[in-house]
Amino acid sequence: MSSERPINPRFDEDVHFNLVSPGPARYQNYTEKPVRYFAVVDKQGGAVLGYVWANDEDDAAMWEPREAAGPQAFSEGGIWYARLEEAKERGLLPSQALAELLANPDGNQGRALPDSLADAPNAAAVEALAKGD
């Protein structure tokens, strides 16, 4: 009797992945064109957790977590990203999604800061804001 274990011949087979559906509808996650954005703050302490931005021309919208807010900002981003994804599925333009999020400002641990809607030259400017403050 041999002490070697037999090698499973399936280990030599190629792996194939088959896409079963195109996945959920999503806005583009970057644009070089002007964006509108608002801040999301912590409900308890009022610290900025991140920013939600949008641009209709490129059908783009995204959550930018504020790095200084740490893990809470990344955790909070899930709810805002999901809300953007749901708005896209309903066929809303990014600016309409932004307006809807501002009208219903509560997230998980954060909320949209009233009167924080502002303009930026592009998505990179909002990303830089999130990294630099």
Side-chain angles (χ1 to χ4, degrees):
M1 215 186 229
S2 172
S3 62
E4 288 186 36
R5 295 181 62 176
I7 297 175
N8 187 332
R10 295 200 64 172
F11 290 155
D12 289 330
E13 292 179 9
D14 289 337
V15 176
H16 297 279
F17 296 99
N18 297 319
L19 184 63
V20 283
S21 70
R26 292 189 175 110
Y27 295 115
Q28 297 297 315
N29 62 10
Y30 187 78
T31 181
E32 300 240 354
K33 297 182 174 90
V35 299
R36 302 217 13 120
Y37 71 96
F38 64 82
V40 173
V41 296
D42 178 27
K43 290 179 185 177
Q44 302 299 318
V48 175
L49 298 175
Y51 305 93
V52 179
W53 60 261
N55 167 279
D56 285 347
E57 192 174 347
D58 283 343
D59 195 39
M62 185 53 69
W63 160 261
E64 287 294 340
R66 182 173 166 251
E67 283 190 9
Q72 184 182 5
F74 289 95
S75 174
E76 183 66 20
I79 189 73
W80 295 95
Y81 184 79
R83 290 177 71 187
L84 286 170
E85 198 171 78
E86 191 268 332
K88 176 64 175 173
E89 287 175 2
R90 289 186 291 124
L92 295 181
L93 292 171
S95 62
Q96 293 171 321
L98 215 59
E100 186 176 89
L101 295 178
L102 279 169
N104 300 303
D106 284 330
N108 187 18
Q109 296 177 30
R111 65 179 288 117
L113 183 64
D115 301 322
S116 67
L117 190 61
D119 296 311
N122 53 38
V126 180
E127 184 179 343
L129 178 65
K131 287 183 180 189
D133 62 13

